[in-house]
Amino acid sequence: MTRLISTRTLLNASAAIAALTAMPAMAQDAPATDQTQAASDDGADIVVTARRREETLLTVPIAVTAFSADKLEKIGATDLTDLQNVTPNTTLKDARGTNSTLAAFIRGVGQQDPVPGFEAGIGIYLDDVYLNRPQAAVLDIYDVERIEVLRGPQGTLYGRNTIGGAVKYVTKKLPDHFEANLKATYGSYNQADGIVSVSAPIGSMFKVGVSGARLTRDGFGKNLTLGIDNYDKNIWAGRGTVEFESPDSRLFVRITGDYTHDMSNPRNGHRLIPGLLTGSPVLANVYDTNAGLANPKEDIWAGGLSMSVNADLTDNLTLRSISAWRKDRSYTPIDFDSTPSVDVDVPAIYKNEQTSQEFQLLYKSDKLNGLIGYYYLGAKAATGFDVLLSTTLAGFDAYTAGDVRTETSSIYGDFTYDFTPQISLSLGGRYTWDQRKSYIFKASYLGGVTSEFGGNPILFGAPSTDFRGTANFKKFTPRASLSFKPSDEHMLYVSYSEGFKGGGFDPRGSGTSAPKLATEVTPTYQEIYNYLLFKPESVKSYEIGWKGSAFDRRLTWALDGFYSDYSDVQVPGSVGCIIGGVQSFCGITTNAAKAKIKGVELETNAVLARGFAGSGSSLYFAGTLGYIDAKYKTFIGPTGTDVANVRVFQNTPDWTMSGTLGANLPVGPGSLNASTTVSYRSLTHQFETASPFLDQPGYALWDAHLTYSFGDGRYSIGVHGKNLTDKHYKTAGYQYIRTDIAGNPINLLNQPVPNGPYVPTLGKEGIATAFYGNPRQIFGTLTAKF
């Protein structure tokens, strides 16, 4: 009872404080004294396309946070991961061991395992093109119009793998005149970034534009074994666009190509315990590593082409087509143990390619608005990785390769009918056909790395998996919402939505581990099929919300509460196992769990003062609040026992908060914006089992920003400070230490050993390796528009 009371008290207190704050999408630039300018500056009139049609932020009955280009500039955002601290119940981070692979979670749902065969829980969209794989999905922010973060299942309008939400990255349309934009950044750790974009009209109907980015930074630490930087950045990126618009503006065509090449060093982790075999020490600097794996050379590239066509067939009907092709490839050396030993060293390659086509027919009228659509995706994703375990057996390699082919198509529709100016009903649904074809190969070798990484080992025993299988899934995902506007300043809504994440076959599974009859020497194909197969997972979500404004829009807010039934939860994992009498590496993936998720989110914006230092001056207080209560109701462990009482949600802190105090001041010929932000995230678990090594206790980060704009906004100078207290906080990690079912370390006699000696479950060094968020960084920016 005490805990319940304290939680409610904290929630009420936090909500009261947050009512004075402002959400990121609504954090303002110098609100003027007249009401029209104020309405524009508070962000409430930002146009979003959360329902695949244009609506303002405060009139769309969906929990969505939108960041304008101006806001992203003022907070010094460099890539998608910078948004998690100021978005409720959201985690956007670099996946373990990479600078470019995204791990995303919203409202407790997501996926951090990047291996093909596992589907994402959060959809990432680049100009309405779905990115099928997480590799190269940590999108750098440049040439952007806005970024939208949609929370809750988006299965109707966005389809499979948006079970937790979606992130929409929208690039700028080209202007009608010649324009050149320059941005230069220099800061801590020799950060040196340059971004250039140029566009021009060609005749009266065509426009062309190109942009390029060079992003570099020295490492936050060093790889002491290889003598190279750790956590560095070395990226080239570019984008080209051609636009056509007919003289009557009824036909608009946009063709875009983009390319990114990440040549950063491999990002290796920090050991939390001394090496159990060699005594490799725990280093003083958490950004330093002793990882010894250097093959293959880290190299990641990604790119694609897209074409969008909008044709106004009549005043009421618009036909839209979105065609896209994308491809990426990642070579990465993953040193799990972060020692010079060849102990769970994983050379890996990921290769992905996708083609997609979407058609939409949009209808608009005074009372009825909506669309129907068709979507197709054809994708192939391949991987190959060695698990080098020379400490177990000289030259031993547990090799895994996989090839996953996806064919998915769907039809959908969503319409809103305005019964009166105050009452609107939205109904929608999507039917999806989803096919997965998988090839999984696992075998042991002697003699080092396989041919993919320049080796020529010999096969050690028979392959444990040599499997080909096809699975077909079908799913209907409806959505309904009812909104009520008692006045122009308020909207109340209730909604129901569903989403699902695709099923498949465990890409690391060992076929020889499949259950078999006592009379069988080896499992049958059907037994292996059933053992490797996992079903789609699904969420049914109920939401109630209130969006509004008061005091001549000096105060705006978006408040929502949600409750979700989360079923057939996919739990991917990997463990040490014995194959052919030798310790190896196996995957275990099941639909092990059911869960209930409920929570509250608040984003508000308060203008505290205006005109106190001349026309255009203002003082505002901005912030966000997220609370989530996510609990497993059932969780069947590998032994068949329900262990829900000792399982937790990964990458889902109970509390996420941020508060920003900012001011806009007229100074000389320009305007000065100054702001400071404190964000907080409570205890965060890295996996479904609590870890005394990897779990990150609650922590706060402090940022500050100063930007001076002049020349009618054509020039700006900025100084930004992030993580000013230099807080060290864990964001991810690896662990292969023997524990009990609750995650507490134990020895071979099952006795607790909280302080060691620990027992490794894979390799000999013992793996408890962590990755950390960025340290304190201070950098300056210069922008110019011609």
Side-chain angles (χ1 to χ4, degrees), residues 151-219:
R151 300 187 299 278
Q154 306 297 323
T156 299
L157 286 172
Y158 294 89
R160 57 190 280 278
N161 302 345
T162 58
I163 184 172
V167 178
K168 300 186 63 175
Y169 184 111
V170 182
T171 61
K172 289 180 179 178
K173 289 186 176 181
L174 302 180
D176 294 327
H177 52 274
F178 174 83
E179 185 173 288
N181 292 275
L182 308 174
K183 180 179 180 180
T185 302
Y186 186 79
S188 306
Y189 301 96
N190 202 30
Q191 177 187 354
D193 299 340
I195 300 172
V196 179
S197 62
V198 179
S199 62
I202 299 178
S204 60
M205 292 185 290
F206 287 92
K207 306 170 196 172
V208 295
V210 293
S211 58
R214 179 71 172 120
L215 312 172
T216 64
R217 186 191 65 230
D218 292 344

Side-chain angles (χ1 to χ4, degrees), residues 34 54 292 332 341 382 497 585:
D34 69 89
E54 293 186 349
T332 181
S341 301
S497 60
F585 178 85

Side-chain angles (χ1 to χ4, degrees), residues 104-126:
F105 290 77
I106 297 177
R107 291 184 177 178
V109 181
Q111 175 62 267
Q112 70 170 334
D113 198 319
V115 176
F118 298 132
E119 301 293 310
I122 307 302
I124 308 299
Y125 290 80
L126 175 59

Side-chain angles (χ1 to χ4, degrees), residues 248-261:
D248 59 3
S249 298
R250 299 184 71 87
L251 176 63
F252 179 78
V253 181
R254 190 176 199 238
I255 300 173
T256 300
D258 67 275
Y259 179 78
T260 300
H261 192 183

